[in-house]
mmCIF file of all heavy atoms in Angstrom:
data_model
loop_
_atom_site.group_PDB
_atom_site.id
_atom_site.type_symbol
_atom_site.label_atom_id
_atom_site.label_comp_id
_atom_site.label_asym_id
_atom_site.label_seq_id
_atom_site.Cartn_x
_atom_site.Cartn_y
_atom_site.Cartn_z
ATOM 1 N N PHE A 334 10.806 -6.954 -8.547
ATOM 2 C CA PHE A 334 11.940 -7.307 -9.386
ATOM 3 C C PHE A 334 13.011 -6.148 -9.455
ATOM 4 O O PHE A 334 13.960 -6.238 -10.197
ATOM 5 C CB PHE A 334 11.466 -7.525 -10.842
ATOM 6 C CG PHE A 334 10.493 -8.644 -10.994
ATOM 7 C CD1 PHE A 334 9.121 -8.437 -11.103
ATOM 8 C CD2 PHE A 334 10.980 -9.972 -10.969
ATOM 9 C CE1 PHE A 334 8.259 -9.535 -11.258
ATOM 10 C CE2 PHE A 334 10.105 -11.074 -11.104
ATOM 11 C CZ PHE A 334 8.752 -10.853 -11.178
ATOM 12 N N VAL A 335 12.839 -5.075 -8.684
ATOM 13 C CA VAL A 335 13.768 -3.984 -8.681
ATOM 14 C C VAL A 335 14.468 -3.873 -7.347
ATOM 15 O O VAL A 335 13.917 -4.226 -6.310
ATOM 16 C CB VAL A 335 13.102 -2.646 -9.088
ATOM 17 C CG1 VAL A 335 12.543 -2.702 -10.480
ATOM 18 C CG2 VAL A 335 11.961 -2.316 -8.111
ATOM 19 N N ASP A 336 15.670 -3.329 -7.381
ATOM 20 C CA ASP A 336 16.423 -3.077 -6.119
ATOM 21 C C ASP A 336 16.511 -1.539 -5.961
ATOM 22 O O ASP A 336 17.615 -0.968 -6.264
ATOM 23 C CB ASP A 336 17.812 -3.716 -6.231
ATOM 24 C CG ASP A 336 17.741 -5.198 -6.379
ATOM 25 O OD1 ASP A 336 16.892 -5.821 -5.716
ATOM 26 O OD2 ASP A 336 18.505 -5.759 -7.191
ATOM 27 N N LEU A 337 15.472 -0.966 -5.458
ATOM 28 C CA LEU A 337 15.447 0.476 -5.346
ATOM 29 C C LEU A 337 15.139 0.824 -3.851
ATOM 30 O O LEU A 337 14.410 0.054 -3.154
ATOM 31 C CB LEU A 337 14.360 1.105 -6.203
ATOM 32 C CG LEU A 337 14.609 1.079 -7.717
ATOM 33 C CD1 LEU A 337 13.351 1.674 -8.453
ATOM 34 C CD2 LEU A 337 15.860 1.873 -8.142
ATOM 35 N N ALA A 338 15.671 1.935 -3.411
ATOM 36 C CA ALA A 338 15.297 2.447 -2.112
ATOM 37 C C ALA A 338 13.858 2.825 -2.060
ATOM 38 O O ALA A 338 13.193 3.094 -3.105
ATOM 39 C CB ALA A 338 16.088 3.661 -1.733
ATOM 40 N N GLU A 339 13.217 2.748 -0.928
ATOM 41 C CA GLU A 339 11.754 2.984 -0.796
ATOM 42 C C GLU A 339 11.348 4.311 -1.332
ATOM 43 O O GLU A 339 10.258 4.475 -1.967
ATOM 44 C CB GLU A 339 11.342 2.837 0.753
ATOM 45 C CG GLU A 339 9.829 2.896 0.922
ATOM 46 C CD GLU A 339 9.423 2.704 2.336
ATOM 47 O OE1 GLU A 339 10.309 2.233 3.137
ATOM 48 O OE2 GLU A 339 8.294 2.966 2.724
ATOM 49 N N ASP A 340 12.271 5.273 -1.173
ATOM 50 C CA ASP A 340 11.928 6.672 -1.687
ATOM 51 C C ASP A 340 11.830 6.749 -3.165
ATOM 52 O O ASP A 340 11.275 7.678 -3.690
ATOM 53 C CB ASP A 340 13.002 7.658 -1.196
ATOM 54 C CG ASP A 340 12.868 7.961 0.287
ATOM 55 O OD1 ASP A 340 11.878 7.599 0.859
ATOM 56 O OD2 ASP A 340 13.869 8.419 0.909
ATOM 57 N N ASN A 341 12.380 5.733 -3.828
ATOM 58 C CA ASN A 341 12.407 5.694 -5.291
ATOM 59 C C ASN A 341 11.311 4.779 -5.887
ATOM 60 O O ASN A 341 11.338 4.547 -7.090
ATOM 61 C CB ASN A 341 13.811 5.208 -5.835
ATOM 62 C CG ASN A 341 14.909 6.323 -5.535
ATOM 63 O OD1 ASN A 341 14.606 7.474 -5.457
ATOM 64 N ND2 ASN A 341 16.085 5.805 -5.405
ATOM 65 N N ILE A 342 10.465 4.345 -5.014
ATOM 66 C CA ILE A 342 9.287 3.584 -5.426
ATOM 67 C C ILE A 342 8.061 4.233 -4.831
ATOM 68 O O ILE A 342 7.869 4.147 -3.657
ATOM 69 C CB ILE A 342 9.333 2.100 -4.997
ATOM 70 C CG1 ILE A 342 10.608 1.391 -5.547
ATOM 71 C CG2 ILE A 342 8.108 1.364 -5.545
ATOM 72 C CD1 ILE A 342 10.781 -0.038 -5.069
ATOM 73 N N GLN A 343 7.302 4.933 -5.676
ATOM 74 C CA GLN A 343 6.088 5.595 -5.181
ATOM 75 C C GLN A 343 4.874 5.119 -5.813
ATOM 76 O O GLN A 343 4.736 5.142 -7.031
ATOM 77 C CB GLN A 343 6.284 7.146 -5.443
ATOM 78 C CG GLN A 343 7.429 7.816 -4.669
ATOM 79 C CD GLN A 343 7.484 9.248 -4.925
ATOM 80 O OE1 GLN A 343 6.658 9.808 -5.580
ATOM 81 N NE2 GLN A 343 8.524 9.908 -4.390
ATOM 82 N N SER A 344 3.999 4.596 -4.961
ATOM 83 C CA SER A 344 2.717 4.035 -5.438
ATOM 84 C C SER A 344 1.661 5.119 -5.371
ATOM 85 O O SER A 344 1.321 5.579 -4.282
ATOM 86 C CB SER A 344 2.293 2.860 -4.607
ATOM 87 O OG SER A 344 1.024 2.346 -5.021
ATOM 88 N N SER A 345 1.154 5.481 -6.518
ATOM 89 C CA SER A 345 0.052 6.464 -6.580
ATOM 90 C C SER A 345 -1.295 5.770 -6.329
ATOM 91 O O SER A 345 -2.040 5.480 -7.260
ATOM 92 C CB SER A 345 0.017 7.188 -7.925
ATOM 93 O OG SER A 345 1.193 7.893 -8.151
ATOM 94 N N GLU A 346 -1.515 5.395 -5.088
ATOM 95 C CA GLU A 346 -2.654 4.619 -4.731
ATOM 96 C C GLU A 346 -3.923 5.404 -4.772
ATOM 97 O O GLU A 346 -3.945 6.624 -4.481
ATOM 98 C CB GLU A 346 -2.516 3.895 -3.419
ATOM 99 C CG GLU A 346 -1.270 2.923 -3.455
ATOM 100 C CD GLU A 346 -1.031 2.295 -2.109
ATOM 101 O OE1 GLU A 346 -1.662 2.711 -1.124
ATOM 102 O OE2 GLU A 346 -0.174 1.346 -2.028
ATOM 103 N N ILE A 347 -5.045 4.729 -4.898
ATOM 104 C CA ILE A 347 -6.356 5.285 -4.824
ATOM 105 C C ILE A 347 -6.687 5.634 -3.384
ATOM 106 O O ILE A 347 -6.394 4.889 -2.498
ATOM 107 C CB ILE A 347 -7.374 4.275 -5.365
ATOM 108 C CG1 ILE A 347 -7.154 4.039 -6.884
ATOM 109 C CG2 ILE A 347 -8.842 4.757 -5.187
ATOM 110 C CD1 ILE A 347 -7.926 2.819 -7.406
ATOM 111 N N LYS A 348 -7.302 6.771 -3.143
ATOM 112 C CA LYS A 348 -7.703 7.164 -1.807
ATOM 113 C C LYS A 348 -8.821 6.274 -1.345
ATOM 114 O O LYS A 348 -9.814 6.043 -2.082
ATOM 115 C CB LYS A 348 -8.098 8.616 -1.815
ATOM 116 C CG LYS A 348 -6.942 9.641 -1.748
ATOM 117 C CD LYS A 348 -7.515 10.975 -1.431
ATOM 118 C CE LYS A 348 -6.358 11.938 -1.231
ATOM 119 N NZ LYS A 348 -6.867 13.315 -0.889
ATOM 120 N N LYS A 349 -8.681 5.778 -0.122
ATOM 121 C CA LYS A 349 -9.784 4.957 0.390
ATOM 122 C C LYS A 349 -10.050 5.399 1.844
ATOM 123 O O LYS A 349 -9.199 5.887 2.475
ATOM 124 C CB LYS A 349 -9.316 3.464 0.400
ATOM 125 C CG LYS A 349 -9.100 2.962 -1.058
ATOM 126 C CD LYS A 349 -8.556 1.558 -1.022
ATOM 127 C CE LYS A 349 -8.347 1.084 -2.431
ATOM 128 N NZ LYS A 349 -7.675 -0.229 -2.479
ATOM 129 N N ASN A 350 -11.269 5.071 2.325
ATOM 130 C CA ASN A 350 -11.593 5.451 3.659
ATOM 131 C C ASN A 350 -10.802 4.603 4.650
ATOM 132 O O ASN A 350 -10.290 3.546 4.276
ATOM 133 C CB ASN A 350 -13.032 5.355 3.911
ATOM 134 C CG ASN A 350 -13.618 3.926 3.769
ATOM 135 O OD1 ASN A 350 -13.107 3.019 4.478
ATOM 136 N ND2 ASN A 350 -14.543 3.752 2.876
ATOM 137 N N ILE A 351 -10.680 5.069 5.940
ATOM 138 C CA ILE A 351 -9.834 4.418 6.892
ATOM 139 C C ILE A 351 -10.225 2.971 7.134
ATOM 140 O O ILE A 351 -9.304 2.123 7.304
ATOM 141 C CB ILE A 351 -9.765 5.243 8.179
ATOM 142 C CG1 ILE A 351 -8.731 4.691 9.192
ATOM 143 C CG2 ILE A 351 -11.153 5.315 8.797
ATOM 144 C CD1 ILE A 351 -7.343 4.821 8.659
ATOM 145 N N VAL A 352 -11.565 2.675 7.197
ATOM 146 C CA VAL A 352 -11.982 1.295 7.477
ATOM 147 C C VAL A 352 -11.501 0.409 6.309
ATOM 148 O O VAL A 352 -10.980 -0.734 6.573
ATOM 149 C CB VAL A 352 -13.497 1.266 7.562
ATOM 150 C CG1 VAL A 352 -13.946 -0.169 7.715
ATOM 151 C CG2 VAL A 352 -13.930 2.082 8.779
ATOM 152 N N SER A 353 -11.688 0.827 5.072
ATOM 153 C CA SER A 353 -11.225 -0.007 3.933
ATOM 154 C C SER A 353 -9.699 -0.249 3.960
ATOM 155 O O SER A 353 -9.274 -1.316 3.714
ATOM 156 C CB SER A 353 -11.628 0.719 2.633
ATOM 157 O OG SER A 353 -13.020 0.771 2.472
ATOM 158 N N ARG A 354 -8.943 0.768 4.295
ATOM 159 C CA ARG A 354 -7.520 0.662 4.375
ATOM 160 C C ARG A 354 -7.110 -0.371 5.444
ATOM 161 O O ARG A 354 -6.176 -1.157 5.282
ATOM 162 C CB ARG A 354 -6.871 2.017 4.617
ATOM 163 C CG ARG A 354 -7.055 2.934 3.445
ATOM 164 C CD ARG A 354 -6.518 4.306 3.696
ATOM 165 N NE ARG A 354 -5.075 4.327 3.751
ATOM 166 C CZ ARG A 354 -4.362 5.400 3.880
ATOM 167 N NH1 ARG A 354 -4.912 6.571 4.023
ATOM 168 N NH2 ARG A 354 -3.042 5.365 3.927
ATOM 169 N N ILE A 355 -7.764 -0.293 6.605
ATOM 170 C CA ILE A 355 -7.442 -1.242 7.737
ATOM 171 C C ILE A 355 -7.788 -2.660 7.324
ATOM 172 O O ILE A 355 -6.961 -3.592 7.414
ATOM 173 C CB ILE A 355 -8.195 -0.886 9.020
ATOM 174 C CG1 ILE A 355 -7.638 0.425 9.603
ATOM 175 C CG2 ILE A 355 -8.063 -1.987 10.071
ATOM 176 C CD1 ILE A 355 -8.432 0.996 10.711
ATOM 177 N N VAL A 356 -8.979 -2.857 6.749
ATOM 178 C CA VAL A 356 -9.416 -4.131 6.344
ATOM 179 C C VAL A 356 -8.450 -4.738 5.286
ATOM 180 O O VAL A 356 -8.063 -5.902 5.278
ATOM 181 C CB VAL A 356 -10.880 -4.120 5.825
ATOM 182 C CG1 VAL A 356 -11.225 -5.467 5.055
ATOM 183 C CG2 VAL A 356 -11.890 -3.928 6.897
ATOM 184 N N GLU A 357 -8.108 -3.903 4.293
ATOM 185 C CA GLU A 357 -7.258 -4.284 3.215
ATOM 186 C C GLU A 357 -5.860 -4.674 3.722
ATOM 187 O O GLU A 357 -5.186 -5.546 3.197
ATOM 188 C CB GLU A 357 -7.231 -3.358 2.093
ATOM 189 C CG GLU A 357 -8.553 -3.308 1.291
ATOM 190 C CD GLU A 357 -8.520 -2.383 0.116
ATOM 191 O OE1 GLU A 357 -7.378 -2.025 -0.298
ATOM 192 O OE2 GLU A 357 -9.582 -2.032 -0.437
ATOM 193 N N ALA A 358 -5.391 -3.871 4.726
ATOM 194 C CA ALA A 358 -4.120 -4.175 5.296
ATOM 195 C C ALA A 358 -4.058 -5.537 5.985
ATOM 196 O O ALA A 358 -3.118 -6.298 5.811
ATOM 197 C CB ALA A 358 -3.664 -3.062 6.238
ATOM 198 N N ILE A 359 -5.113 -5.785 6.768
ATOM 199 C CA ILE A 359 -5.156 -7.058 7.483
ATOM 200 C C ILE A 359 -5.287 -8.166 6.474
ATOM 201 O O ILE A 359 -4.587 -9.239 6.575
ATOM 202 C CB ILE A 359 -6.365 -7.035 8.540
ATOM 203 C CG1 ILE A 359 -6.115 -5.986 9.591
ATOM 204 C CG2 ILE A 359 -6.581 -8.447 9.080
ATOM 205 C CD1 ILE A 359 -7.254 -5.828 10.574
ATOM 206 N N SER A 360 -6.214 -8.056 5.477
ATOM 207 C CA SER A 360 -6.376 -9.066 4.515
ATOM 208 C C SER A 360 -5.066 -9.339 3.644
ATOM 209 O O SER A 360 -4.784 -10.422 3.384
ATOM 210 C CB SER A 360 -7.529 -8.698 3.538
ATOM 211 O OG SER A 360 -8.773 -8.603 4.222
ATOM 212 N N GLY A 361 -4.437 -8.174 3.397
ATOM 213 C CA GLY A 361 -3.184 -8.343 2.619
ATOM 214 C C GLY A 361 -2.117 -9.094 3.378
ATOM 215 O O GLY A 361 -1.349 -9.846 2.799
ATOM 216 N N CYS A 362 -2.061 -8.872 4.692
ATOM 217 C CA CYS A 362 -1.069 -9.684 5.525
ATOM 218 C C CYS A 362 -1.431 -11.126 5.593
ATOM 219 O O CYS A 362 -0.542 -11.976 5.716
ATOM 220 C CB CYS A 362 -0.969 -9.027 6.900
ATOM 221 S SG CYS A 362 -0.272 -7.359 6.981
ATOM 222 N N PHE A 363 -2.700 -11.434 5.519
ATOM 223 C CA PHE A 363 -3.173 -12.813 5.577
ATOM 224 C C PHE A 363 -3.027 -13.564 4.283
ATOM 225 O O PHE A 363 -2.888 -14.800 4.276
ATOM 226 C CB PHE A 363 -4.648 -12.882 6.068
ATOM 227 C CG PHE A 363 -4.744 -13.028 7.548
ATOM 228 C CD1 PHE A 363 -4.692 -11.983 8.402
ATOM 229 C CD2 PHE A 363 -4.845 -14.321 8.073
ATOM 230 C CE1 PHE A 363 -4.894 -12.097 9.788
ATOM 231 C CE2 PHE A 363 -4.973 -14.474 9.476
ATOM 232 C CZ PHE A 363 -4.918 -13.402 10.304
#
């Protein structure tokens, strides 16, 4: 809902292992 440049939106995401991040990225795209 906001019109901000990417640098002005920072997600403080939880650290996850690389496998979890890949799986979640693929699942998120689907």
Side-chain angles (χ1 to χ4, degrees):
F334 299 103
V335 296
D336 298 318
L337 293 176
E339 186 176 346
D340 289 344
N341 292 332
I342 303 178
Q343 293 182 6
S344 176
S345 298
E346 296 179 351
I347 296 167
K348 281 191 172 182
K349 297 175 182 174
N350 62 58
I351 186 65
V352 175
S353 294
R354 294 176 69 178
I355 291 172
V356 168
E357 289 184 16
I359 294 174
S360 297
C362 293
F363 266 85

